[in-house]
Amino acid sequence: MSKAVHTFTLFILGFLMVLLFFVRCDFGQKNELVPAEPIAKAYDGMAFAGSESCKSCHKTIYENHVNTPHYQTSHKVYKDSMYGDFTDKNTLKLNDSIHFIMTAEDVLYQSGFKDGTLIQKEPFDVVIGSGTKGQTFLYWKDSKLYQLPVSYLVGKDKWIHSPGYANDRIHFNRAVVPNCLECHATYAKNHLPMDFNSNSYIKNEIIWGVDCESCHGPALKHVNAHRLDPELKKAKQISNIASLTRQQQLDACAKCHSGLRKPLNMPFTFRTGDKLSSFRAPNYRPLDTTSIDVHGNQYGLLTASECFKKSEALNCTTCHNTHKNERRAIAQFSEKCISCHNAIESHTTKLNDQMKTNCIDCHMPSLTTSAITFNGLDSIKIRTHKIGIYEDISKQINQFLEQ
Ligand code: HEC
Ligand code: HEC
Ligand code: HEC
Ligand code: HEC
Ligand code: HEC
Ligand code: HEC
Ligand code: HEC
């Protein structure tokens, strides 16, 4: 064999080997099974994976979930997340002496003035509230989290003094304690976990929004069990909520939807499946529904309804698919009523077509809450979960629909 041919053969062989190496590398990377990293660790050591990590296997649920008020109920501030105006209608005047101005500079700021003098100026760092009804804002002072005095009311399109703030002074010092974040975030690790009043947090171990792991628990083990063994078809290392008892399922929602209760146990330690009564002072006495405020106590109101008391299975998920944004899906909710009730036989008067697809506005009307008031000037309406007969409201709706 001539030397030239020999060199050529070697060259080709070399080329093929290099080619093979790259091809193999590419295949190798595709098959490489990499575990996900924790984004935060719960107090008991259980690790959170974050909802981004669920996306690859639960795509539809993930994509629907990010559009829900749950997911959007808290997050870091970014410009388009603000509904309020920072240029024209950016002043809130409380009285002749005190006013606030909201400005967009390098970041967004809120400044409080007394008799024309700047008293305090702090940045908008965190938003609480999806903006369905309103937004409240928080700011950081080192590791400590505080509420800003001015909030935003979406329906009225205006800045307001935050609920519960007295009008006679400028307060930038209301601490944001774990209890508040427990209903509006998935996890916020505190420097003093046993202290219900501590507002000092470990910033990179906060998971904003009511995310997957708020209801399903820290799920890194589940994620990795399936990432490392893609052939697994049956769920590993995660519990099945639908197979829990009715009270366990109700408790999973009641943790945040049964109003303010006295804490008995460390914040962020309740897990779906646990008994809420050992975590929050129970409120299971037969409820006098006239004294329950509609704000945030869907549990108390629903369990006081005849529909709940006289049926075995009714629970929050009978009507709600929490993975989806179902706001104003009135006809869809009405289907749930019709699955248990014969609407024609139930009424003395005839229901027209519109009424047949809207059981909600007459039997679960939106009522004014007295828990959130803004100096008595503005009010918020919340859908009552005491399903019942509201004669006056029904009459008004009847007249409206008859027209
Ligand atoms: C690598 C794939 C994979 C990832 C990533 C993953 N899962 Fe799963 N998950 C599965 C499989 C497979 C099942 C079983 C089949 C099913 O129910 O879809 C499952 C089932 C579930 C179930 C139902 C359990 C039951 O028994 O009803 C829940 C809840 C769940 N996953 C939550 C999550 C959450 C939350 C995340 C993100 C933190 C996540 N999963 C990430 C693969 C994955
Ligand atoms: C507000 C609470 C809540 C949040 C947030 C939540 N889930 Fe669920 N999830 C539930 C409940 C309740 C069920 C059981 C529903 C039923 O009764 O069938 C469930 C069931 C599931 C199931 C099994 C049944 C199914 O629909 O396939 C999977 C998988 C799942 N969730 C994944 C997720 C993922 C992924 C996220 C985040 C992107 C998430 N969930 C966010 C409450 C929640
Ligand atoms: C970690 C606390 C938390 C848990 C657990 C929780 N929620 Fe919520 N939920 C909230 C908060 C906070 C809001 C208000 C979000 C907003 O608008 O900012 C909300 C809003 C809602 C809404 C209104 C959505 C809309 O369209 O405006 C529904 C419905 C709801 N939750 C149902 C449930 C059900 C059902 C469960 C149990 C499976 C549940 N939630 C569990 C905190 C929670
Ligand atoms: C016990 C649980 C719970 C606690 C504690 C709680 N909230 Fe809420 N919050 C809710 C629920 C549930 C809603 C949804 C409306 C409803 O059901 O009344 C809500 C609604 C809101 C909204 C309106 C959101 C919207 O756009 O619809 C804001 C703003 C808000 N809360 C701020 C706060 C702040 C700030 C704190 C703490 C200082 C706090 N909340 C404490 C449960 C809670
Ligand atoms: C799981 C089945 C179930 C579902 C779903 C359900 N109900 Fe009921 N409801 C009942 C039962 C059972 C009663 C008690 C009836 C009786 O005693 O004859 C009841 C009672 C009522 C009453 C009489 C209340 C009173 O105080 O006397 C009204 C009105 C009513 N339901 C309307 C509705 C509407 C509207 C919906 C949908 C938003 C609904 N129900 C959903 C089972 C259900
Ligand atoms: C019989 C059906 C039914 C059941 C059961 C039910 N809901 Fe609802 N819920 C509704 C309807 C209808 C609305 C109004 C939806 C709308 O207007 O967009 C609603 C609205 C809500 C809202 C938003 C309130 C507002 O005015 O912003 C929350 C929060 C909520 N439900 C939580 C729960 C929780 C928690 C449970 C269990 C304790 C529960 N729901 C059980 C039918 C139901
Ligand atoms: C225009 C208002 C209105 C609408 C819409 C409406 N209802 Fe009613 N409903 C009433 C009133 C008022 C009563 C009391 C009986 C009567 O006057 O007919 C009642 C009675 C009932 C009862 C009987 C309660 C008892 O005494 O046992 C049930 C069940 C019921 N409604 C279910 C429904 C369902 C399901 C739908 C939707 C398909 C619906 N209603 C739509 C106003 C309404």
Side-chain angles (χ1 to χ4, degrees):
M1 218 186 290
S2 83
K3 206 172 173 193
V5 171
H6 192 78
T7 313
F8 182 72
T9 315
L10 273 181
F11 176 79
I12 292 290
L13 270 176
F15 179 76
L16 281 175
M17 276 171 77
V18 169
L19 196 74
L20 198 70
F21 176 77
F22 277 111
V23 169
R24 277 189 61 108
C25 251
D26 199 38
F27 269 112
Q29 231 154 36
K30 266 188 196 140
N31 286 335
E32 207 179 343
L33 302 169
V34 233
E37 295 293 328
I39 61 161
K41 280 234 171 94
Y43 297 119
D44 62 3
M46 291 280 284
F48 290 94
S51 57
E52 278 279 333
S53 76
C54 317
K55 195 177 171 183
S56 57
C57 303
H58 302 290
K59 191 162 176 282
T60 315
I61 297 180
Y62 174 86
E63 282 168 359
N64 284 327
H65 172 69
V66 295
N67 289 317
T68 59
H70 273 154
Y71 181 77
Q72 295 166 356
T73 197
S74 63
H75 48 80
K76 289 183 193 162
V77 166
Y78 55 95
K79 208 159 181 236
D80 294 340
S81 65
M82 309 298 279
Y83 293 90
D85 194 82
F86 284 82
T87 44
D88 301 326
K89 292 191 291 175
N90 63 337
T91 304
L92 172 68
K93 197 169 180 300
L94 286 190
N95 49 46
D96 288 340
S97 163
I98 297 173
H99 75 276
F100 295 92
I101 300 184
M102 275 52 72
T103 48
E105 298 168 36
D106 52 331
V107 294
L108 304 172
Y109 287 102
Q110 199 168 100
S111 312
F113 296 84
K114 191 175 164 72
D115 303 324
T117 310
L118 176 68
I119 301 296
Q120 197 163 346
K121 174 176 182 176
E122 300 293 350
F124 286 78
D125 286 326
V126 176
V127 181
I128 303 278
S130 66
T132 306
K133 300 190 180 71
Q135 294 182 313
T136 286
F137 312 96
L138 317 179
Y139 74 94
W140 289 106
K141 197 111 239 163
D142 302 319
S143 73
K144 295 198 169 169
L145 198 55
Y146 296 91
Q147 188 173 347
L148 288 169
V150 179
S151 293
Y152 183 74
L153 196 56
V154 175
K156 299 274 161 87
D157 185 19
K158 66 182 196 188
W159 297 104
I160 51 161
H161 209 197
S162 295
Y165 278 60
N167 267 355
D168 59 352
R169 59 196 175 90
I170 294 173
H171 349 221
F172 275 89
N173 57 353
R174 191 190 270 185
V176 176
V177 298
N179 183 276
C180 166
L181 297 184
E182 200 177 34
C183 289
H184 284 278
T186 300
Y187 185 58
K189 195 175 220 164
N190 201 285
H191 282 111
L192 301 167
M194 298 302 287
D195 182 353
F196 295 140
N197 295 317
S198 165
N199 66 332
S200 174
Y201 299 94
I202 299 169
K203 276 192 202 173
N204 61 3
E205 289 200 73
I206 298 185
I207 304 172
W208 297 113
V210 173
D211 213 344
C212 316
E213 290 164 295
S214 198
C215 298
H216 292 294
L220 187 72
K221 279 188 176 166
H222 167 71
V223 168
N224 284 340
H226 288 274
R227 272 171 80 137
L228 300 177
D229 187 356
E231 300 305 314
L232 272 180
K233 294 285 173 278
K234 258 192 87 191
K236 284 265 186 243
Q237 302 277 9
I238 195 129
S239 55
N240 177 305
I241 300 186
S243 68
L244 298 173
T245 65
R246 167 153 92 156
Q247 191 59 52
Q248 282 173 313
Q249 292 190 47
L250 285 164
D251 279 5
C253 311
K255 182 190 112 183
C256 306
H257 289 284
S258 60
L260 296 173
R261 297 176 176 204
K262 202 172 158 288
L264 301 173
N265 223 321
M266 256 167 73
F268 294 108
T269 54
F270 178 88
R271 296 269 191 277
T272 295
D274 290 354
K275 242 177 131 158
L276 188 63
S277 54
S278 13
F279 188 71
R280 292 272 181 273
N283 200 3
Y284 294 147
R285 68 198 149 77
L287 288 157
D288 161 18
T289 50
T290 51
S291 69
I292 307 181
D293 193 86
V294 281
H295 173 65
N297 198 347
Q298 288 80 17
Y299 172 83
L301 292 158
L302 180 73
T303 52
S305 307
E306 290 304 309
C307 305
F308 179 88
K309 291 195 277 189
K310 301 244 169 77
S311 62
E312 303 268 297
L314 185 67
N315 109 33
C316 310
T317 47
T318 308
C319 297
H320 294 288
N321 174 350
T322 47
H323 296 148
K324 288 195 182 148
N325 186 330
E326 306 173 311
R327 193 139 265 285
R328 296 299 298 165
I330 295 298
Q332 183 191 315
F333 284 116
S334 300
E335 286 295 323
K336 313 284 183 178
C337 315
I338 296 163
S339 71
C340 289
H341 293 290
N342 182 326
I344 313 286
E345 283 175 11
S346 306
H347 297 89
T348 49
T349 50
K350 196 172 162 289
L351 294 183
N352 69 21
D353 287 347
Q354 253 172 303
M355 298 172 190
K356 282 183 199 148
T357 51
N358 183 354
C359 319
I360 310 303
D361 284 333
C362 288
H363 290 294
M364 295 180 72
S366 290
L367 304 176
T368 303
T369 168
S370 53
I372 323 173
T373 54
F374 308 100
N375 308 313
L377 294 174
D378 296 301
S379 60
I380 282 189
K381 284 197 165 182
I382 291 178
R383 189 68 69 179
T384 182
H385 277 62
K386 171 82 172 32
I387 305 171
I389 295 165
Y390 297 83
E391 297 280 359
D392 290 351
I393 293 170
S394 294
K395 252 187 222 136
Q396 287 169 17
I397 293 175
N398 234 329
Q399 280 165 0
F400 177 77
L401 292 176
E402 292 289 311
Q403 279 169 11

